Each structure stands twice: as C-alpha cells, then as structure tokens.
Amino acid sequence: MNVLIVGSGGREHAIAYCVAKSDKADKIYCTPGNAGIAEYAECAPIGAMEFEKIVAFAKEKSVDLVIVGMDDPLVGGLVDELEAAGIRTFGPRKNAAVLEGSKAFSKDLMKKYNIPTAAYENFADADKALSYLETAKFPIVLKADGLALGKGVLICSTLEEAKEGVKTIMLDKKFGSAGNEMVIEEFMTGREVSVLSFVDGNTIKTMTSAQDHKRAGDGDTGLNTGGMGTFSPSPFYTKEVEEFCDKHIYQATVDAMKAEGRPFKGVIFFGLMLTEEGPKVLEYNARFGDPEAQVVLPRMKNDILEVVEACIDGTLDKVNLQFEDNAAVCVVLASEGYPVSYEKGLPISGLEEFKKHDGYYCFHAGTKLADGKLVTNGGRVLGITAKGKDLKEARANAYAATEWVQFDNKYMRHDIGKAIDEA
Ligand code: AMP
Ligand code: GLY
C-alpha cells in the first residue's frame, strides 16, 4: 500500500523507519518531512495545517493510508477531512483529539469517570482565577487550556508568581487562544513516566514505557523544551504500577471517550506521575510522544502497518503487541540556544557511521538539504538513539554515538537516563 505520513520531526522519522520495514508498504510519502525522512519517503513541501493540499496530494498519489504524527493537525480535524475524502487515516478525529486539545475537557473527563489526576478547577474568567488563588496552596500549577507547544504549563511557588501567571496566560495571551481558558491544579510530586498506547475505539494495548527529559539543562534546570532525551523502558514502571493503571486509567479513558460519543482511534499518550498516593494522569496526548517514539518504536517487534490497520478496523484485540526485551536511550542533539534562539543552516557531518552499526539510529528532527548538503534547520536537530541489553548499556552506546556527529553549536544534555542509577 502507499502510505503518507504527516509531520516533520524525529517522531515522524521513527514512524517512517517502521513503515519502511513493513512488507505491506509500497511507496511512502511525507508532508512536509525532513532530510532524514527523505531516505525512506518522497517528501512534499506541504505544511501539516494545509488540509486541502494534503487531501489533494493523497488523492493524486493514490495514498491508501495516512498516519498523522503531529498534534496540531489532529486537533484541527485533519483526520475528519481525509476520511471525508474516502482516505483511510490513523489518528483520532477532531472530536476525540480534544483529549489533548483541551486540558479543561480532559480534566473534566477524568473527574466524571473517576480517573486519578490532580485536583483542579477550570476558569474562563481571569478575575475568578485570581480570586481562587487567594485561598490556594502553593506551589500550584497553571495550564493554558489549548495547545502551546508543550510550553503552556507554569509551576508557581508563590501567590505573586501565580497572579503573574494568570496574567501571562489569560490577559497577555502569551500562548494565544490556548489561554482563553485555563486549568489551575494541585502540584504533585513523583517520578514521571510516559506510556503510549494503540487504541481502536474499544480496545487499548499499551506499548513499553519511557521517560522524557523536558528541561533544557543538566540536572533538570533551565527552560522547558519539546524533550531533550528519553529512555525506555522506565525501571520505575513496575508490574504493580502497570496493574494499577490497567485497572484505573487506561481502559477507563477509552471507555469514557466512547461513553461521551467521542470514540478514540489512534495513539493515546498517558503522561503519568507516580505519586505517593499512586499513579495519576498529568496529561493526555493524542499521538506518539517526541522523543518517546524514538526509543519505543525501534523496540517494537510488530509490523507497524498491521497494528495501525487493526486500530482503524477495530480489530486491535487480535493483535499481540510485542516489544524486544532490551532497552533504548535517545539523546537529542540541539543547537546551542534552544529553546530560545539559535542559528540554522549549520553543516552536519558524521552520519554515515549509523549505517555501519546495528542498533544505532539517527532520527532527524530539524534538518534539511541545502544544495545537496545536510544542514541544521531547527532547535532540536537530531535524536541519537541506541539500543543495549539493558538501560546502562543503551545509555553508554547512545552517548558514544553522539560523538560521531559534528555540527557547530552542537548542544546536548549529559544526564539523559541518569535516573536509571537510582532505580
Ligand atoms: P504537561 O504538558 O501537562 O505534561 O506539563 C508539563 C510538565 O509540567 C509535566 O511533564 C510535569 O513535569 C509538570 N507538571 C504538569 N502538571 C503538574 C502537576 N500537577 N504537578 C507537578 N508538575 C506538573
Ligand atoms: N515528549 C513529550 C511530548 O511529546 O509531548
């Protein structure tokens, strides 16, 4: 079959890598893609929000299946548009992608269906939010309701900071219309785990666990980013934790969406916090994580197209989802200055090494070809993933592979997976 992948990051590169491995794949396309994805797929310069153009492109190329990787087009309803044109598509429809698109919606859903999460209140009015804060406990967490590139969450230690935060989100509209509403929630402590899952509307099958590192600097300092590195599996995601989540979170979420008339098909990403009171949901995403996909998908044994088709057809219960009994670590190579400001267009070298070594992957995030030469084209440039028999070996392998790659202003965290040593 002909497959189109929508997106341009390391996550979409990891998806493209899996699709390319499938016997079912004939021609692979990607919009807009990047220089790494171009190795497997014909990339077309169509933006992920250019729905009409994507539909026309899919028809023109006789695409049989579209996989939407990114959150914005999912929340905006790209799946609905493609389906209306008769094109099979993997990902939630607009009415289900709201699980990620509105934090107020997801919090209300969890409350209604008794899914464990932080205590909260939703606000559509800044004055009400400000007066609520007067009697609140600190630290407290403020969240813009809508999509904000993972940056719409403010953790405030004092009343003054929190008031400033309400102003930033709701009045100054720093995150645009994402801040028309906001959630104020209880601050939780504990380890974070990312669990991705395939969902067919009724059945859910979780993938192996992972952990992200969101802050820019070593020791979890600096600004929040899209993610500076991941490891999989998480040693903190024990059998006991998994059993609790199976019982109270995963199927409960799928059933809740169905009961609300918003059946979810696609990937649900559970951002969990393992608190002293047990696991709680921090957030839902309606897609693979980035860079979680870069450590989870290379460990998946199944043919991705078989799993994706089972989600679309509602036959996921027949799929035996399996992961390798090993580990993977991904270290993101960024451009110095990310996430604030950084240079683009810097030449990249050394990537031929990845072809010579099994179990090593170089997923492109922000790259492009300029006059036939590979250059940086974003803040997160490459995701260097390596497997190992266990997490420690995978981490050593991934860091060794970061040395193969050269570009000016290369920046990375040096403590990805440090938590492994505490497990
Ligand atoms: P989110 O986009 O909702 O996952 O939030 C981004 C990050 O903010 C999370 O990965 C957590 O590190 C942190 N965070 C979000 N909500 C809370 C909370 N209620 N308590 C403590 N930390 C939180
Ligand atoms: N790595 C976090 C995310 O994809 O949202």
Side-chain angles (χ1 to χ4, degrees):
M1 68 177 98
N2 295 334
V3 181
L4 167 64
I5 299 163
V6 177
S8 62
R11 163 183 51 213
E12 286 75 23
H13 192 175
I15 295 170
Y17 159 78
C18 287
V19 171
K21 273 199 313 192
S22 169
D23 294 336
K24 294 179 147 213
D26 294 313
K27 188 91 181 135
I28 309 173
Y29 298 94
C30 190
T31 52
N34 64 34
I37 296 171
E39 234 181 90
Y40 311 110
E42 182 179 324
C43 297
I46 301 173
M49 295 307 284
E50 295 185 289
F51 292 1
E52 271 179 35
K53 286 189 188 170
I54 293 172
V55 172
F57 180 81
K59 281 186 172 163
E60 181 199 321
K61 301 291 184 185
S62 306
V63 164
D64 303 292
L65 172 72
V66 181
I67 300 175
V68 184
M70 292 172 71
D71 46 3
D72 283 307
L74 289 168
V75 171
L78 176 58
V79 174
D80 308 56
E81 303 268 326
L82 286 160
E83 285 183 349
I87 301 163
R88 273 160 75 76
T89 306
F90 177 70
R93 291 181 187 153
K94 187 174 182 174
N95 73 348
V98 68
L99 189 62
E100 170 167 6
S102 167
K103 292 196 191 283
F105 170 85
S106 71
K107 294 296 292 189
D108 285 347
L109 186 87
M110 287 186 266
K111 186 191 249 176
K112 182 168 170 187
Y113 293 91
N114 292 317
I115 297 167
T117 189
Y120 75 102
E121 291 283 338
N122 293 338
F123 295 93
D125 179 299
D127 285 334
K128 291 204 174 117
L130 289 168
S131 67
Y132 172 84
L133 288 173
E134 296 288 345
T135 56
K137 276 205 294 187
F138 294 87
I140 202 157
V141 184
L142 311 184
K143 299 187 174 184
D145 174 56
L147 295 181
L149 295 169
K151 299 186 178 96
V153 174
L154 304 177
I155 295 174
C156 305
S157 322
T158 62
L159 176 60
E160 288 64 43
E161 246 181 75
K163 282 182 169 169
E164 200 50 44
V166 170
K167 185 167 169 287
T168 304
I169 293 174
M170 294 195 93
L171 301 175
D172 302 345
K173 294 270 193 283
K174 174 148 180 230
F175 310 107
S177 60
N180 289 348
E181 283 187 55
M182 67 181 286
V183 176
I184 300 187
E185 74 176 25
E186 167 203 6
F187 176 76
M188 303 188 287
T189 52
R191 291 205 181 266
E192 289 185 39
V193 182
S194 302
V195 177
L196 317 184
S197 64
F198 289 104
V199 183
D200 74 356
N202 290 300
T203 299
I204 178 165
K205 297 254 162 118
T206 52
M207 301 177 221
T208 183
S209 61
Q211 185 181 318
D212 190 9
H213 299 65
K214 289 201 167 114
R215 308 289 286 274
D218 284 358
D220 290 327
T221 55
L223 293 171
N224 258 325
T225 70
M228 292 300 294
T230 37
F231 59 83
S232 169
S234 163
F236 308 103
Y237 188 70
T238 58
K239 265 265 150 287
E240 195 188 3
V241 171
E242 184 175 20
E243 276 167 17
F244 180 95
C245 296
D246 278 339
K247 197 160 164 207
H248 299 288
I249 296 177
Y250 302 142
Q251 189 67 48
T253 301
V254 176
D255 293 346
M257 290 299 282
K258 192 174 159 193
E260 293 294 308
R262 299 170 182 274
F264 193 106
K265 290 188 175 198
V267 170
I268 300 182
F269 165 147
F270 297 85
L272 303 172
M273 189 172 266
L274 310 182
T275 74
E276 276 187 358
E277 293 161 24
K280 295 189 183 184
V281 178
L282 274 171
E283 64 161 348
Y284 292 117
N285 294 313
R287 48 164 177 88
F288 288 101
D290 188 341
E292 282 87 347
Q294 290 90 313
V295 283
V296 169
L297 289 178
R299 298 183 54 227
M300 188 168 85
K301 290 187 185 173
N302 304 67
D303 177 329
I304 194 170
L305 293 180
E306 277 176 15
V307 183
V308 157
E309 291 214 286
C311 290
I312 295 172
D313 296 335
T315 55
L316 188 61
D317 57 330
K318 309 265 178 345
V319 171
N320 180 16
L321 197 62
Q322 287 187 307
F323 288 82
E324 293 170 1
D325 184 18
N326 56 9
V329 169
C330 173
V331 179
V332 169
L333 299 184
S335 244
E336 182 91 52
Y338 173 73
V340 182
S341 65
Y342 43 83
E343 263 184 82
K344 289 186 188 175
L346 303 166
I348 305 171
S349 62
L351 304 196
E352 58 288 347
E353 284 301 313
F354 290 88
K355 296 251 180 306
K356 300 180 197 159
H357 298 85
D358 267 354
Y360 290 78
Y361 310 80
C362 177
F363 294 118
H364 293 227
T367 64
K368 70 171 186 185
L369 287 171
D371 300 328
K373 294 221 165 60
L374 185 68
V375 298
T376 70
N377 191 39
R380 288 193 295 178
V381 178
L382 299 165
I384 305 302
T385 295
K387 289 184 192 169
K389 66 176 185 310
D390 56 22
L391 286 162
K392 284 191 177 159
E393 188 178 287
R395 179 177 58 185
N397 291 347
Y399 273 107
T402 63
E403 300 296 324
W404 300 341
V405 182
Q406 310 301 330
F407 58 89
D408 284 349
N409 299 356
K410 180 175 117 179
Y411 171 83
M412 66 182 141
R413 276 184 63 162
H414 293 90
D415 61 349
I416 301 302
K418 187 160 180 285
I420 298 162
D421 303 327
E422 294 152 25

